[in-house]
Amino acid sequence: MIRKALLTTAAAFVMMALSSIAHADTVTIVGNSTGSLSTATVSCTFNDTTNTFTFTVTNTSPFDARITSVGFDIGPGNINGFSGANVAGFTFRDGNLGNVAQFNGVDLDFGFTTGNSGNFNGGFPNNGIAPGQSLTFTVSGAGFGDNLTEEALCAAIYVRFQRVGTNDDSDVGRPNGNNPVPEPMTMILFGTGLAGVAARARRRRNKE
């Protein structure tokens, strides 16, 4: 009875873990220069039937750093043919958004900017996302192709912060790589280990 319960628990754990891996669509953003003064989280969903990408940006910065631009570099070269709606002070831009400070060679394919310049490095802090606030954006277009996943799209984001800290610095952040997701095989082996523990407990009980 105990063994069956433990095996069932192990199997359920593995299934839940694999399910979470399949939907690992949230990334953490950390400023390249200012670090923990400029942080955000981004949650993404992608409908590959309608080629619709929806992402929510939450400003988690501890001070009054404002997020004033977001952009995506989803492939080599410049990929066009996207459309998106303007949202709460942010204007959708398809095409060249200018250079991305701190990340040479980045060619943004689409994005949202504040202010009138249309440049990723421009921006108007008063229209940006304040700490503790979230904003949801939607982009669609055939340019997404057939092989992109929401995890890959989420990992392609660049976020610009302005008015950072006491010096009113600006910064750019992207997924920091400190958000590891266990590989499926690792979780399977862990579940197998739990099953082994259950078997040993059963054998020990039978000997007593």
Side-chain angles (χ1 to χ4, degrees):
M1 192 70 175
I2 295 175
R3 181 185 179 188
K4 184 177 180 181
L6 287 172
L7 286 173
T8 301
T9 301
F13 178 83
V14 171
M15 292 303 295
M16 286 188 296
L18 293 178
S19 175
S20 66
I21 291 167
H23 300 284
D25 55 2
T26 299
V27 295
T28 300
I29 305 295
V30 177
N32 184 63
S33 299
T34 57
S36 61
L37 296 182
S38 311
T39 60
T41 59
V42 183
S43 298
C44 308
T45 58
F46 179 57
N47 186 325
D48 57 7
T49 301
T50 61
N51 280 328
T52 302
F53 176 49
T54 303
F55 62 98
T56 299
V57 180
T58 302
N59 189 343
T60 58
S61 303
F63 299 104
D64 195 28
R66 300 296 179 98
I67 295 173
T68 55
S69 299
V70 292
F72 290 81
D73 181 12
I74 64 173
N78 188 248
I79 303 173
N80 293 338
F82 300 98
S83 61
N86 299 340
V87 183
F90 284 78
T91 301
F92 175 75
R93 312 285 181 181
D94 182 24
N96 187 9
L97 278 73
N99 180 51
V100 179
Q102 294 125 337
F103 293 95
N104 294 327
V106 172
D107 191 1
L108 297 178
D109 299 301
F110 61 85
F112 293 83
T113 62
T114 55
N116 299 319
S117 70
N119 190 299
F120 183 85
N121 287 326
F124 185 39
N126 287 343
N127 284 353
I129 304 172
Q133 294 183 342
S134 300
L135 201 57
T136 298
F137 306 84
T138 300
V139 180
S140 60
F144 286 121
D146 299 324
N147 300 318
L148 284 172
T149 64
E150 59 192 37
E151 290 88 353
L153 285 168
C154 227
I157 191 171
Y158 292 80
V159 177
R160 183 165 192 257
F161 300 85
Q162 288 183 252
R163 210 155 68 189
V164 181
T166 57
N167 296 323
D168 287 345
D169 294 327
S170 62
D171 200 359
V172 177
R174 59 168 315 202
N176 64 2
N178 294 325
N179 200 24
V181 178
E183 295 180 1
M185 187 54 66
T186 300
M187 299 311 301
I188 290 172
L189 290 174
F190 182 70
T192 303
L194 287 178
V197 170
R200 285 196 298 273
R202 175 65 175 172
R203 286 196 297 270
R204 182 178 300 172
R205 184 170 176 271
N206 288 339
K207 290 180 179 178
E208 291 176 350

